Amino acid sequence: MADHPDLISHLKDYRQQAGLTQAQLAKRVSVSRKTINTIENGVFVPTTVLALKLARALDCRVEDLFALRDEA
């Protein structure tokens, strides 16, 4: 699994806690399931707009979903 060197993603944890599949979350934020998968696996860093949409869809803050490695 690829991993972005600076970013930690908690997206998968929050998505699973919400009881959503990748496809369901993708539909809520108008992206493909593959986009959700690549974010969860650290391959793709979401744009600010997408990060905000994900946080809204999961009823949390962007900071809950993503953190810089040096802050973890």
Side-chain angles (χ1 to χ4, degrees):
M1 164 174 45
D3 199 12
H4 191 278
D6 297 321
L7 189 70
I8 297 171
S9 172
H10 300 288
L11 180 60
K12 183 175 183 178
D13 297 330
Y14 275 81
R15 176 183 58 76
Q16 289 178 334
Q17 287 173 11
L20 296 172
T21 65
Q22 288 181 344
Q24 289 168 327
L25 179 57
K27 186 174 182 178
R28 287 188 181 190
V29 297
S30 302
V31 297
S32 70
R33 183 207 57 81
K34 185 172 181 172
T35 297
I36 300 300
N37 181 270
T38 59
I39 295 169
E40 288 184 355
N41 289 317
V43 175
F44 175 70
V45 176
T47 64
T48 303
V49 171
L50 180 52
L52 289 165
K53 286 181 179 181
L54 289 166
R56 181 182 291 165
L58 294 170
D59 195 29
C60 64
R61 300 173 312 138
V62 172
E63 295 88 345
D64 296 328
L65 295 179
F66 305 103
L68 293 174
R69 254 188 220 290
D70 62 356
E71 295 177 357

